[in-house]
Amino acid sequence: MASLTSSLSTRNWSYNVFASFHGPDVRKTLLSHMREQFNVNGITMYNDQKMVRSEEIAPSLTNGIRESRIAIVILSKKYASSSWCLDELVEILECKKSMGQIVMTIFYGVEPSDVRKQTGEFGIAFEDTCEHKTKEAKQKWIKALTNVSNIAGEDFLRWLVFIFL
């Protein structure tokens, strides 16, 4: 573990943070505020704004994940409606395992148990996404969702209530 820790601190990362999120759910709200605060504080964040969307996860996105010291996974009700988000998540967790990438989670309007068990609105979105996918892809995504939901994270809505009380 000591060698992993020292290699993490000495590696030259292209970005401090990679955010995995479902755009329509958070891009203009939570994410824009995070990006602004990161910029003010000199924290570099991978920016996917100019990327062309395709059926498969783009190599530039995969490189962005691999070149980021920290991955923040913002899990929202519609996160699982995107096979891109699910593929990003698999890559992030592979980087966590192989490179020791730090992974943080934010539960944005979704319960961790709904992510873990693919239930509620989150589960409906997930099942719709899996409808025309292979059994192997679905199992890979289930494993990734279970793993990420077990990472201690922030429940954004409860956090807001706490701030304003």
Side-chain angles (χ1 to χ4, degrees):
M1 184 69 175
S3 63
L4 179 60
T5 305
S6 62
S7 69
L8 274 174
S9 61
T10 58
R11 180 174 174 177
N12 289 326
W13 301 92
S14 298
Y15 310 98
N16 298 115
V17 175
F18 178 92
S20 177
F21 59 93
H22 182 252
D25 289 350
V26 301
R27 187 181 301 277
K28 293 182 179 177
T29 55
L30 175 65
L31 188 69
S32 65
H33 295 293
M34 285 175 58
R35 190 177 304 281
E36 182 180 328
Q37 286 304 306
F38 286 164
N39 285 338
V40 166
N41 290 290
I43 298 169
T44 57
M45 185 174 183
Y46 178 82
N47 190 347
D48 70 345
Q49 295 284 67
K50 296 179 181 157
M51 231 175 47
V52 176
R53 296 285 179 185
S54 66
E55 190 67 26
E56 294 180 13
I57 190 169
S60 61
L61 198 59
T62 302
N63 289 336
I65 293 168
R66 293 177 183 167
E67 289 299 318
S68 297
R69 186 168 195 269
I70 299 168
I72 299 175
V73 182
I74 305 170
L75 296 154
S76 60
K77 289 178 183 176
K78 297 293 184 186
Y79 183 90
S81 69
S82 166
S83 59
W84 268 53
C85 288
L86 296 168
D87 287 340
E88 282 178 14
L89 181 59
V90 169
E91 181 66 27
I92 287 167
L93 294 175
E94 286 176 8
C95 289
K96 179 181 188 292
K97 183 178 178 181
S98 66
M99 301 182 326
Q101 184 179 63
I102 298 165
V103 178
M104 302 169 71
T105 56
I106 297 173
F107 297 95
Y108 188 80
V110 67
E111 292 294 325
S113 63
D114 285 342
V115 175
R116 186 176 304 111
K117 299 173 186 173
Q118 296 85 55
T119 56
E121 286 182 56
F122 188 91
I124 292 168
F126 180 71
E127 288 301 324
D128 288 347
T129 302
C130 293
E131 193 171 323
H132 300 291
K133 302 295 180 181
T134 65
K135 185 177 179 179
E136 292 78 22
K138 183 176 181 178
Q139 288 306 311
K140 181 173 59 171
W141 291 339
I142 288 172
K143 182 179 177 184
L145 289 167
T146 301
N147 288 341
V148 79
S149 67
N150 287 324
I151 296 172
E154 296 295 329
D155 182 333
F156 184 75
L157 295 180
R158 288 194 185 119
W159 182 69
L160 278 178
V161 169
F162 177 73
I163 288 175
F164 292 108
L165 286 179

